[in-house]
């Protein structure tokens, strides 16, 4: 009986430890990431412009095309509330949606949700 209790406690502690692990905690200018697939239809933590702003600037509002793009960090800003805001641009020098060169993102939330993935 005691070995079952110990096994259960060990399993629970391993699962709990896995949930608390983050992939990457620090970011610097020049780090390269890949844009991942969002949990829903829209990106929540990468601040892509709304469709009407993309179309107004002559772009194509297709958020699926952003998936898989390599991006590089151009600026890092620590906000007062403790979040880290980063500015990212495409690694190949192109524009997002043929209209925007730089977009911002909440780094920690984007990494944890899988919207940004380290290369």
């Amino acid at each position: 009986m005691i070995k079952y209790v110990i096994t259960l406690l060990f399993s629970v502690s391993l699962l709990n430890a896995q949930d608390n692990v983050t992939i990457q905690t620090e970011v610097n200018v020049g780090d390269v990431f890949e844009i991942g697939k969002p949990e829903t239809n829209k990106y929540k933590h990468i601040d892509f412009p709304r469709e009407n702003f993309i179309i107004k600037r002559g772009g194509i509002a297709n958020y699926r095309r952003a998936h898989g793009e390599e991006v590089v960090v151009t600026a890092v800003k620590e906000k007062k509330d403790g979040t880290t805001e980063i500015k990212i641009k495409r690694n190949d020098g192109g524009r997002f949606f043929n209209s925007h060169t730089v977009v911002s993102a909440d780094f920690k939330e984007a990494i944890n949700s899988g919207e940004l993935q380290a290369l």
Side-chain angles (χ1 to χ4, degrees):
M1 179 70 185
I2 191 76
K3 70 178 183 179
Y4 295 117
V5 172
I6 292 172
T7 305
L8 177 68
L9 292 174
F10 181 73
S11 300
V12 169
S13 66
L14 281 179
L15 289 174
N16 194 17
Q18 288 177 354
D19 289 340
N20 293 332
V21 173
T22 56
I23 298 171
Q24 184 173 354
T25 57
E26 291 189 17
V27 62
N28 297 315
V29 174
D31 289 349
V32 179
F33 294 96
E34 181 179 351
I35 296 179
K37 190 172 183 177
E39 295 173 351
T40 60
N41 290 336
K42 294 189 178 185
Y43 288 89
K44 187 183 272 186
H45 306 292
I46 299 176
D47 190 22
F48 284 128
R50 293 191 321 219
E51 292 179 5
N52 61 330
F53 291 114
I54 295 170
I55 294 169
K56 185 182 271 189
R57 292 185 65 179
I60 301 168
N62 185 358
Y63 293 105
R64 284 185 243 147
R65 291 180 63 194
H67 176 68
E69 287 288 333
E70 288 186 11
V71 295
V72 63
V73 177
T74 59
V76 179
K77 181 180 179 183
E78 189 75 29
K79 297 179 108 180
K80 289 182 181 179
D81 61 356
T83 61
T84 304
E85 181 181 323
I86 60 172
K87 301 281 185 180
I88 55 176
K89 69 175 185 176
R90 285 180 43 176
N91 202 14
D92 61 3
R95 295 174 175 258
F96 293 104
F97 315 111
N98 293 332
S99 64
H100 291 78
T101 55
V102 177
V103 295
S104 62
D106 181 358
F107 176 69
K108 292 176 186 173
E109 294 296 325
I111 287 288
N112 289 337
S113 69
E115 291 181 9
L116 280 179
Q117 301 169 350
L119 290 179

